[in-house]
Structure formats: C-alpha cells, structure tokens
Amino acid sequence: MVLEATMICIDNSEWMRNGDYSPTRFQAQADAVNLICGAKTQSNPENTVGVLTMAGKGVRVLVTPTSDLGKILACMHGLDIGGEMNLAAGIQVAQLALKHRQNKKQQQRIIVFAGGPVKYDKKVLEMIGKKLKKNSVALDVVNFGEEDEAKTEKLEALVAAVNNNDSSHIVHVPAGSNALSDVLLSTPIFTGDGEGGSGFAAAAAAAAAGGVSGFDFGVDPNLDPELALALRVSMEEERARQEAAAKKAADDSSKQEKEGESTSQDATMSENVGTSESENKKDDLMDDENALLQQALAMSMDDPAATVTTRDVDMSEAATDDQDLALALQLSVQEGAKDQSGQADMGKLLADQSFVSSILASLPGVDPNDPSVKDLLASMQNQSESSEQKKDEDKKEDDK
C-alpha cells in the first residue's frame, strides 16, 4: 500500500455552471472528488487528503491534508462559483501545503481538475512541471469541459515535464459522458499506482453500476471485515429494536382495550344507580312539597274548626297508639289542678288572722304579740293578696 499525501485542486470558475456534464460541471466534479478522497483514505489509514480552489477571489485552501473524510466532504458544500481558473497559482499553493505535511515519509501528489480554459503559456507550465519533479511531487490532471487543442497541448506538456517513472497521469474526459466519476473509476488517478485502491474502486464501480455487488450491505468482508461486521451487528440491533417496539405497541393496545371495556361497564352501573337514587329523591321531595303546600293552604284559610279537628285527630291517634302516654298526661293534669287548689286554700287560711293567732298561741315559746311575728304575718298576707290580684288580672286578660 502506498503511503501518500494528496492535494486536490478544484476548478470553481464561471465555466463550471455549464450543464454538459450531469447535472452540472461543478456537481460532477464534486462527486468525482468525493470518490477520490474515499479511495485514498481507504487504501491506507495513514493517507491524508487536502482540498483547495483555484478560482473566485483567489486560490483558497479549504482543508489541509487530513485523514478525516467527513471534514473533506463537508468542505465541498456552499462553494462560490465565478472568476477564471489560476492553474499555476493553484499548483504552487498545493506544493507548499504538501511541503508542510506532518508525516514526511508520505509521498506527495497533486490532482488538478481543469474544466475551464488555461491562460498560461506552455513554457510557464513546463517550468512549473520541472520544479515539481525536482521536489518529487507527482501530478495527475483531469481535462474535462472546454475542448480546446491548445488547452490539451499545454496540459500534456505540464504532465510530461513532471512525469518520473510513469508516476504522473492525464485523463481526457469528453463532453456528454454519463458521469465524470464513472470515467475516472478505471483510471490510475482513481486506483493509484499500487493495489491499494483497487478494492474501493471495485466496490464503487459495483455501486455505480446498480448497487448489486453480491455481498451483504454492498461490502466485501474479505476487503473490509470490520466494516462488514459492524454493519451486520447494527442491522441485527435495529431489527431487535423494531421487534421490541412492535411487541410493546401490541401490549399497550390490548391493555387500553381492556381498560376501555371496564370503564364502560362501571359507567353504565353508576348511571343506573344514579338514576334510581335521583328518582327516589324526586318522589320524596314531591311528597314533602305536597304536605307543606296543604299545610300552608290550611293556615292561610284560618279555619279553626279544621285546626281543632286535626289536633283532636292527632290526640286521638296518639291515645290509641300509646295508652300509657294518655294515662300519664291525665295524671299530670290532675296534679296541677290539686296544686292550684291547695295554693288557693293556703292563701285563704293566711288571710284569716284569728285562725293564725290561735295557731301561734298554741305553739310553745311563740308570742303572738311579738313585733317580728306580726311583721312576718303582715308580709305573708300581702303576698297572698298580691298573688290573688295577679290571678284576677290574668283571668281578665284571658277573657278578653
């Protein structure tokens, strides 16, 4: 495997807008650059690739030589198109970038995509080629786009000046080709001088031909067993994850159906119970309202006969329901009458002074003529008289 550091010079001039290559010259060039970068990094893990542009406001290095393929591919997006291609300045900047590579054991190579016209003379390009050969730098040129004999002659002279032991190559891609990358797949620019890029080239050619390579996931396990194993493991994990997700979804759906059935049954039962309870409450409220309405009507009519009748009926019903209660009421009424009669008799006796004096004279140790005794009797008599007056007043009020 060849250990190599490569700088790719991209033509982003105004001529790259043409559509003679599908879809445009610039897009066809970008696809070819991506394939070449993949082939270089695949052939040897220590290979590095850098990218620069030769048109626009000037030569600009997009990425210095690196083995990070993602960084190389990302730099191709969003490039500005315009201006003229400066071939000589692009080659010189690429040589300078390779001179400052980190691994000095890497061989140096420059790949130039020339899609627009070349404005430099043949002698200037030959001088640049001799300088590259002196510094052991190989040069590959992809001539596409503008079909001009002068341009072709200048580029061939440049490659001839650089070539040393057939290390440099030039490829002419005519207009109307299916894709620029398809033409480069079988050239030494893509495969390299050794056998390192042949495996990647075969896989890329199979993918371009229709994606049928005869291997799982389009990768030959003999060329890259680690990649094939990683793809197989990731596919098995994805399949297991999808099966687990489908099983979980089925379990959730069945559980939701059971919960929905139980909820509907509970709702039906609760509705029935609530309906019966509401009906019972309505009946009770109607009865209470009817009773209150009848009572209000009777009170508004002020019918004493009806009131007395209802009271008599209630008492009779109470008497028939509970004889003991009726007997107790009768005894309480009799005792009250006796108390009232006894109090009246006592009041009459206290009013009779001769009777009270005879009683006091008969008592031993009591002097009826004692002033304190007389005062007591007078107060008792006054109390009896006041009680009798009060009774008389109450009686008159009752009569009224």
Side-chain angles (χ1 to χ4, degrees):
M1 293 185 295
V2 179
L3 181 61
E4 200 171 56
T6 306
M7 282 297 296
I8 300 177
C9 300
I10 299 175
D11 183 4
N12 61 331
S13 61
E14 195 69 31
W15 283 266
M16 293 297 102
R17 300 182 187 274
N18 293 347
D20 49 355
Y21 294 88
S22 179
T24 61
R25 289 185 183 180
F26 184 79
Q27 189 60 43
Q29 178 184 217
D31 294 340
V33 170
N34 292 339
L35 285 175
I36 291 174
C37 292
K40 295 294 183 180
T41 55
Q42 183 74 19
S43 62
N44 194 323
E46 296 184 3
N47 282 354
T48 58
V49 181
V51 180
L52 61 83
T53 57
M54 297 184 294
K57 295 181 180 180
V59 178
R60 183 164 65 97
V61 178
L62 300 179
V63 59
T64 56
T66 179
S67 58
D68 188 357
L69 184 60
K71 186 183 295 185
I72 299 169
L73 299 179
C75 73
M76 297 293 296
H77 296 284
L79 292 178
D80 296 331
I81 299 176
E84 294 182 355
M85 179 183 63
N86 191 345
L87 181 61
I91 293 174
Q92 291 174 356
V93 172
Q95 181 186 358
L96 185 62
L98 292 174
K99 184 178 180 181
H100 293 85
R101 65 191 183 280
Q102 294 181 354
N103 189 357
K104 300 300 181 181
K105 294 182 179 180
Q106 292 174 331
Q107 297 181 9
Q108 304 175 72
R109 181 175 295 274
I110 298 174
I111 300 176
V112 177
F113 283 84
V118 179
K119 62 181 181 179
Y120 291 96
D121 295 335
K122 182 177 179 181
K123 294 182 179 180
V124 175
L125 295 178
E126 288 178 350
M127 291 175 59
I128 294 173
K130 292 178 180 179
K131 185 177 180 180
L132 293 176
K133 183 178 181 181
K134 182 178 180 181
N135 291 289
S136 301
V137 179
L139 177 66
D140 294 331
V141 177
V142 179
N143 181 21
F144 71 104
E146 300 297 322
E147 295 181 358
D148 186 3
E149 293 182 359
K151 174 187 173 184
T152 303
E153 185 179 355
K154 292 176 183 179
L155 293 177
E156 289 180 350
L158 173 63
V159 173
V162 178
N163 194 10
N164 184 14
N165 296 326
D166 199 17
S167 61
S168 301
H169 312 87
I170 183 171
V171 177
H172 302 283
V173 182
S177 301
N178 293 330
L180 186 60
S181 57
D182 294 344
V183 177
L184 297 178
L185 285 174
S186 58
T187 61
I189 296 177
F190 190 84
T191 58
D193 294 335
E195 299 295 333
S198 59
F200 188 89
V212 180
S213 59
F215 302 105
D216 294 338
F217 317 112
V219 178
D220 187 1
N222 296 323
L223 298 176
D224 196 345
E226 295 180 358
L227 179 59
L229 179 61
L231 292 173
R232 187 179 294 105
V233 170
S234 63
M235 182 61 69
E236 292 177 357
E237 290 178 353
E238 180 66 18
R239 188 182 295 109
R241 187 188 65 77
Q242 292 179 356
E243 292 177 356
K247 185 177 179 181
K248 184 178 180 181
D251 295 340
D252 293 340
S253 61
S254 61
K255 186 177 180 181
Q256 290 178 358
E257 290 177 357
K258 292 181 181 179
E259 291 178 354
E261 293 177 357
S262 61
T263 305
S264 61
Q265 293 178 359
D266 296 340
T268 305
M269 294 177 65
S270 62
E271 288 178 358
N272 295 332
V273 173
T275 304
S276 60
E277 290 180 355
S278 61
E279 290 177 354
N280 295 332
K281 289 181 180 179
K282 287 181 180 179
D283 295 338
D284 296 339
L285 290 173
M286 290 295 293
D287 295 339
D288 295 341
E289 290 178 356
N290 291 332
L292 291 173
L293 182 59
Q294 292 176 1
Q295 185 178 1
L297 289 172
M299 292 176 66
S300 64
M301 292 173 67
D302 290 336
D303 190 359
T307 307
V308 172
T309 303
T310 53
R311 288 181 179 177
D312 294 341
V313 171
D314 294 339
M315 291 297 293
S316 63
E317 288 179 357
T320 55
D321 291 341
D322 195 349
Q323 295 179 359
D324 295 337
L325 180 60
L327 181 61
L329 290 172
Q330 186 176 0
L331 290 173
S332 64
V333 171
Q334 292 177 359
E335 289 178 357
K338 287 181 181 180
D339 293 339
Q340 290 177 1
S341 62
Q343 291 176 0
D345 294 339
M346 287 296 293
K348 290 180 181 180
L349 290 174
L350 292 172
D352 190 358
Q353 295 181 0
S354 61
F355 177 73
V356 173
S357 299
S358 63
I359 290 174
L360 292 174
S362 63
L363 293 173
V366 177
D367 187 5
N369 298 320
D370 191 0
S372 61
V373 174
K374 290 181 179 181
D375 295 336
L376 179 60
L377 292 174
S379 63
M380 292 176 65
Q381 187 176 0
N382 293 330
Q383 289 179 358
S384 63
E385 290 177 356
S386 63
S387 62
E388 288 178 359
Q389 291 177 359
K390 188 176 181 181
K391 289 180 181 179
D392 294 338
E393 292 176 357
D394 295 339
K395 185 175 183 182
K396 289 179 181 180
E397 291 178 358
D398 295 337
D399 294 339
K400 289 180 181 180

